[in-house]
Amino acid sequence: MDQLLHRLEHCYQLAEQRFSRPFARPSVTLDLRGQKAGVAYLNRNLLRFNAQMYRENHEDFLLQTVPHEVAHLIAHALYGGQIRAHGREWQALMTDLYGLPAQRCHDYAVAPRRRTRYLYRCGCPEGIPFTPQRHALVRRGRRYQCRRCGDLLHFTGQQRTEG
């Protein structure tokens, strides 16, 4: 985490020199999971990074991902909330300030997402898979009807994992 914070501080110092103004330092966590390497929460001045991707892609993460997320916070501080996330303001910070390509996405190896599906049935021969979100709504009382036969859909008690 020390190297990450050092890189973050360097990015902020470059911005402060360029724009002759101070920028509030964000809170930083390494608790992000899943497909994203980092996320900037603009209104909370918070950066979340993916610890596993940081470990597995240490050098590139420090070189690219940290400035990428810092540039979001700097762009927000300079131009407000009406700009596009990866718009020209953000791109200019990446290329002109940090001397880096303005890439929207990382190319780190990511394990495929595992998805759980809950199987529902009606009067039709094949089952209908529900996402965990829709299944949770059913458990709270929501009802769904089959669009083909009109019967209510009922949980079979089965679930499967894909991916």
Side-chain angles (χ1 to χ4, degrees):
M1 179 85 145
D2 287 345
Q3 287 181 312
L4 189 144
L5 292 174
H6 181 72
R7 176 68 169 146
L8 179 116
E9 181 60 28
H10 181 254
C11 291
Y12 270 93
Q13 287 176 4
L14 287 173
E16 287 175 341
Q17 289 169 6
R18 170 72 57 92
F19 297 105
S20 301
R21 62 162 279 193
F23 292 97
R25 301 307 191 261
S27 299
V28 178
T29 66
L30 275 171
D31 63 350
L32 190 61
R33 295 173 28 176
Q35 311 284 311
K36 295 180 180 179
V39 177
Y41 294 86
L42 306 176
N43 295 319
R44 293 168 51 194
N45 200 27
L46 168 66
L47 294 177
R48 291 178 64 203
F49 293 104
N50 187 314
Q52 181 177 350
M53 286 187 197
Y54 177 49
R55 282 190 304 274
E56 293 173 357
N57 309 280
H58 188 77
E59 286 183 34
D60 190 67
F61 201 96
L62 292 173
L63 178 69
Q64 282 287 133
T65 303
V66 173
H68 176 117
E69 299 307 331
V70 168
H72 284 301
L73 293 179
I74 299 293
H76 181 73
L78 290 170
Y79 308 107
Q82 301 305 311
I83 61 170
R84 295 173 56 134
H86 296 103
R88 60 181 164 61
E89 298 87 355
W90 175 86
Q91 291 174 24
L93 290 171
M94 288 298 291
T95 57
D96 300 343
L97 180 61
Y98 298 131
L100 296 169
Q103 297 172 327
R104 284 187 61 236
C105 301
H106 65 79
D107 58 0
Y108 305 141
V110 179
R113 236 179 171 172
R114 292 172 39 136
R115 294 185 172 120
T116 300
R117 295 293 182 246
Y118 297 85
L119 300 178
Y120 280 72
R121 289 228 183 267
C122 58
C124 297
E126 65 276 345
I128 299 171
F130 274 27
T131 64
Q133 293 83 4
R134 182 167 283 184
H135 178 66
L137 290 172
V138 170
R139 294 186 61 154
R140 282 188 239 134
R142 185 171 291 179
R143 296 171 166 239
Y144 290 93
Q145 232 175 335
C146 176
R147 290 182 181 178
R148 272 181 275 161
C149 70
D151 286 354
L152 282 178
L153 295 168
H154 297 282
F155 180 47
T156 65
Q158 296 177 318
Q159 66 186 55
R160 68 174 185 241
T161 303
E162 302 169 346

